[in-house]
Amino acid sequence: MAAAIERSQDYLLRIQKPEGFWVGELVVDSTLVSDMIAFYHWDGKVDPEWQRKAVDRLLAMQLPDGGWNIYHGGPAEVNATIKAYLALKLAGVPVTDPRMLQAREVALRMGGVPRMNTFSKLYLALLGLFPWDYVPTIPCEVILLGKWFHVNFWEMSSWTRAMLVPLAILNHFKPTRVLAPPVTLDELYPEGFHERDLALPPDPQGLTWRNFFLWLDRLHKFVENYKLRPFRKWSLAKAEKWMLERCERTDGLAAIFPAMLNSLIAMKALGYADDHPQVVRARRELERLQHVTEDDVRIEPCFSPVWDTAIVLMCLRESGVAADHPAVVRGAEWMLDREIRFRGDWQYKNPTQVEPSGWAFEYSNEWNPDVDDTAMVLLALRLIPTRQPERCDAAFRRGLNWMLTFQCKD
């Protein structure tokens, strides 16, 4: 056991970045690559060489039964399978290819396009492959709902808000771009393309939350169709401002792939030119998530340096590496530099006058420090007397006080 621990220590010390942190690659399912292929076709800017590598990645991730899963070792899942099928079809893989035929069979067996989730159907609608009338409406006015309303904007998680706002902008503009040459997914409707299969089915039990939200969506669509939207101009402007503000002080909107991609599409729907600084930055941050090699494309959903560094430092210290080891000290000081002293979006849910502090998961996400990363950093810092003990003690005290204000009433 001692030899295994020593080898592990040597390995971790060897892979430390020069700046002092550790970061591992977040390996996820195929949907991110599929979404990027679909986006590039929507945007009309496809790099054939990049696309070739992306196709190879998707085909390498295809399951033996022909589908794609959403977690390692899991079964085929309908959204991942249809997204991959569409991406391959957009990239020019013939539908007669045996791998496509297999994927088609799996998709149909799972219910096909009608069984996809809301986010997936919205992406299809952007490509003219699903009618907007059957995509659940996300009104921009949701951003106007404050704490006075039981279900409100600030009760949602940070990632949910960051996904919702750009999707609400897309729902307003409905920026469908018809593909050339035309592509359809008619073959992925088990009963053929018919409107009766497009609407979400109600709950037969009657008075349920599902039926309430289906009724609410019908009300939203009535409002949209008859343009009964007195607050739309205001709420749309507020949504745009909120989104652009939160692209600052962070590695892209919420520093997470779905929100980052949605924000880029929303900016283009709003009319921002390709050379606009916001568009350039959004595209750059998305590209940072990509690992492009000679034969492959992998995409991470986000980066995890703060979390990884805290875990590694605890492992090194608990396994016997000295507190004054240069690598340990360098890692601790890198974490201290990541403390967020900005009063971010947490203030709306937690209006206490506590001194701002906390840590986020990613390199930069100042709007959204979180409790679990902060706890992990504090656990690591308590084991490491840095070269700046007063600074470390002050950050530890601030972080602990900040974290305690988030304790729930129970």
Side-chain angles (χ1 to χ4, degrees):
M1 182 179 286
I5 290 174
E6 187 176 348
R7 284 196 302 271
S8 299
Q9 290 171 339
D10 290 343
Y11 171 74
L12 289 172
L13 293 172
R14 211 165 48 243
I15 65 170
Q16 185 181 26
K17 301 297 182 183
E19 299 88 341
F21 65 90
W22 284 265
V23 63
E25 181 179 341
L26 287 171
V27 180
V28 293
D29 58 62
S30 61
T31 57
L32 278 66
V33 174
S34 300
D35 287 345
M36 284 308 300
I37 291 176
F39 166 72
Y40 287 140
H41 280 267
W42 177 86
D43 198 32
K45 298 177 177 63
V46 180
D47 178 346
E49 182 62 16
W50 182 95
Q51 183 169 262
R52 178 190 65 78
K53 298 174 184 179
V55 166
D56 289 344
R57 160 57 48 171
L58 288 179
L59 292 175
M61 298 180 78
Q62 189 173 19
L63 299 173
D65 70 356
W68 283 261
N69 58 21
I70 56 173
Y71 61 89
H72 181 71
E77 194 271 343
V78 64
N79 295 284
T81 297
I82 294 178
K83 282 186 173 187
Y85 179 93
L86 171 61
L88 294 172
K89 192 172 183 179
L90 291 171
V93 179
V95 294
T96 54
D97 185 295
R99 295 163 296 188
M100 295 288 277
L101 292 173
Q102 264 192 306
R104 176 179 171 180
E105 286 183 16
V106 173
L108 290 172
R109 189 170 66 241
M110 292 187 291
V113 172
R115 293 294 171 265
M116 296 181 79
N117 63 31
T118 296
F119 298 134
S120 300
K121 288 175 180 175
L122 189 142
Y123 283 152
L124 294 186
L126 290 173
L127 295 168
L129 299 175
F130 195 85
W132 284 98
D133 286 345
Y134 294 98
V135 176
T137 302
I138 306 172
C140 291
E141 286 77 7
V142 70
I143 201 170
L144 304 179
L145 295 177
K147 289 193 290 185
W148 50 269
F149 195 72
H150 180 65
V151 180
N152 67 74
F153 186 67
W154 297 110
E155 290 291 335
M156 302 173 190
S157 71
S158 63
W159 287 357
T160 301
R161 292 194 301 269
M163 290 178 66
L164 191 76
V165 170
L167 288 179
I169 293 171
L170 294 180
N171 216 282
H172 171 79
F173 287 104
K174 297 178 174 55
T176 296
R177 298 187 178 177
V178 179
L179 298 166
V183 169
T184 73
L185 288 179
D186 292 353
E187 68 272 25
L188 297 189
Y189 288 82
E191 306 297 329
F193 185 89
H194 195 286
E195 289 190 2
R196 67 170 177 267
D197 299 319
L198 303 181
L200 293 171
D203 190 328
Q205 293 187 25
L207 291 174
T208 63
W209 280 112
R210 177 183 179 85
N211 287 343
F212 169 76
F213 283 109
L214 289 176
W215 173 85
L216 190 61
D217 185 59
R218 286 198 294 270
L219 177 62
H220 285 151
K221 284 185 166 45
F222 177 83
V223 169
E224 293 286 325
N225 291 336
Y226 289 93
K227 295 186 167 42
L228 305 174
R229 310 173 303 198
F231 304 109
R232 177 53 55 89
K233 186 176 181 180
W234 177 31
S235 60
L236 183 62
K238 191 175 179 68
E240 179 183 359
K241 182 174 183 289
W242 187 95
M243 180 180 71
L244 295 179
E245 280 181 347
R246 279 146 190 83
C247 288
E248 306 283 350
R249 297 176 172 269
T250 184
D251 298 328
L253 185 59
I256 185 80
F257 175 88
M260 293 162 68
L261 178 57
N262 293 343
S263 69
L264 178 56
I265 301 173
M267 288 176 202
K268 297 177 85 67
L270 284 161
Y272 287 70
D274 286 343
D275 59 354
H276 190 283
Q278 291 280 13
V279 173
V280 171
R281 178 172 57 185
R283 191 182 289 273
R284 182 181 67 240
E285 296 297 346
L286 266 175
E287 289 174 351
R288 281 183 63 213
L289 294 172
Q290 299 184 20
H291 298 272
V292 182
T293 65
E294 278 190 26
D295 301 303
D296 193 26
V297 173
R298 303 186 311 280
I299 303 178
E300 294 190 63
C302 64
F303 297 121
S304 56
V306 172
W307 182 262
D308 294 348
T309 300
I311 291 177
V312 170
L313 288 175
M314 281 192 287
C315 291
L316 291 174
R317 287 289 293 117
E318 295 285 2
S319 65
V321 176
D324 60 355
H325 189 289
V328 171
V329 173
R330 200 161 69 248
E333 292 180 347
W334 182 87
M335 284 197 311
L336 284 176
D337 291 338
R338 305 279 87 69
E339 183 190 10
I340 298 171
R341 304 301 312 283
F342 172 67
R343 192 172 290 274
D345 281 342
W346 55 268
Q347 65 180 308
Y348 297 101
K349 180 75 173 169
N350 177 7
T352 58
Q353 292 306 305
V354 65
E355 190 174 2
S357 183
W359 281 262
F361 191 68
E362 306 88 359
Y363 291 105
S364 177
N365 188 4
E366 293 191 39
W367 290 94
N368 301 300
D370 53 71
V371 170
D372 53 345
D373 286 285
T374 299
M376 194 64 71
V377 169
L378 297 182
L379 285 169
L381 288 179
R382 72 192 172 96
L383 300 172
I384 305 164
T386 68
R387 290 171 292 192
Q388 307 170 63
E390 291 182 2
R391 181 189 176 202
C392 186
D393 289 346
F396 187 95
R397 185 179 63 255
R398 278 193 305 268
L400 183 60
N401 290 339
W402 178 85
M403 189 174 66
L404 288 173
T405 65
F406 288 87
Q407 187 174 23
C408 298
K409 292 178 182 178
D410 62 358

